[in-house]
Amino acid sequence: MADEAPTGGTPTRFTIRPDDYHVPYAGTAQDGRKFFLSDELFAYDGRAWVGLFLWKPDGVFDEVRVSRIARGVGVPPGQATPGNGDGTLQAHLALLGAYTLEPITVQPFTETVDGAEFGWKVNHCDGMYTINIEPGDFICYYEPWDGYEYDT
């Protein structure tokens, strides 16, 4: 994509593609904003959230909305799994109005909410950039930033 980082450079945009694994909800909301929604966000201290990440139609970060939920019983501390939100995920989906599931190209960002860092964090290690979801760090995108593959 035109606004993505040149090969080897700091990523300024990346693509999130909906799938049947960790990215069931990514696309465009009725109001034109881009969104990513997950009920698998967790901290290693046992806290868990449903998180709705929103970007303006041009992919610039707009806001984060989170709701605390119960973490799955017996789930190892570093493993992502849907939390027990008793309809919280559906309530966040309802905020989107009529939405379309589709690939979105957006800016990475982080914002602290409820004492935890939320967003898509750019990391650099051993000469390689990655973009990881926070909290939980269970999705990791890498070059070419097209969203076709990610590590978990």
Side-chain angles (χ1 to χ4, degrees):
M1 305 238 125
D3 3 37
E4 292 172 3
T7 301
T10 305
T12 57
R13 301 277 175 139
F14 71 111
T15 299
I16 303 171
R17 294 181 183 279
D19 65 25
D20 293 331
Y21 189 37
H22 286 298
V23 188
Y25 299 107
T28 303
Q30 184 171 345
D31 65 5
R33 291 189 293 175
K34 307 303 178 191
F35 73 89
F36 170 80
L37 175 64
S38 179
D39 63 351
E40 295 185 81
L41 304 172
F42 66 93
Y44 290 91
D45 63 7
R47 294 178 296 158
W49 300 267
V50 169
L52 176 60
F53 303 162
L54 294 159
W55 294 265
K56 296 175 183 170
D58 64 0
V60 172
F61 171 67
D62 191 17
E63 68 175 307
V64 175
R65 295 181 181 191
V66 301
S67 298
R68 216 52 193 274
I69 58 175
R71 183 122 161 91
V73 177
V75 177
Q79 183 176 334
T81 187
N84 183 3
D86 296 326
T88 306
L89 182 78
Q90 295 303 318
H92 279 74
L93 277 173
L95 295 172
L96 301 171
Y99 61 86
T100 302
L101 296 177
E102 62 186 352
I104 58 172
T105 300
V106 294
Q107 290 180 330
F109 74 92
T110 60
E111 184 171 292
T112 301
V113 180
D114 195 22
E117 186 175 46
F118 286 84
W120 294 93
K121 184 177 184 177
V122 176
N123 296 292
H124 185 258
C125 183
D126 295 329
M128 182 177 164
Y129 286 97
T130 59
I131 300 175
N132 303 69
I133 192 166
E134 296 295 340
D137 188 17
F138 63 94
I139 300 174
C140 174
Y141 287 102
Y142 44 86
E143 279 192 292
W145 312 116
D146 60 9
Y148 282 106
E149 294 184 30
Y150 57 84
D151 286 334
T152 57

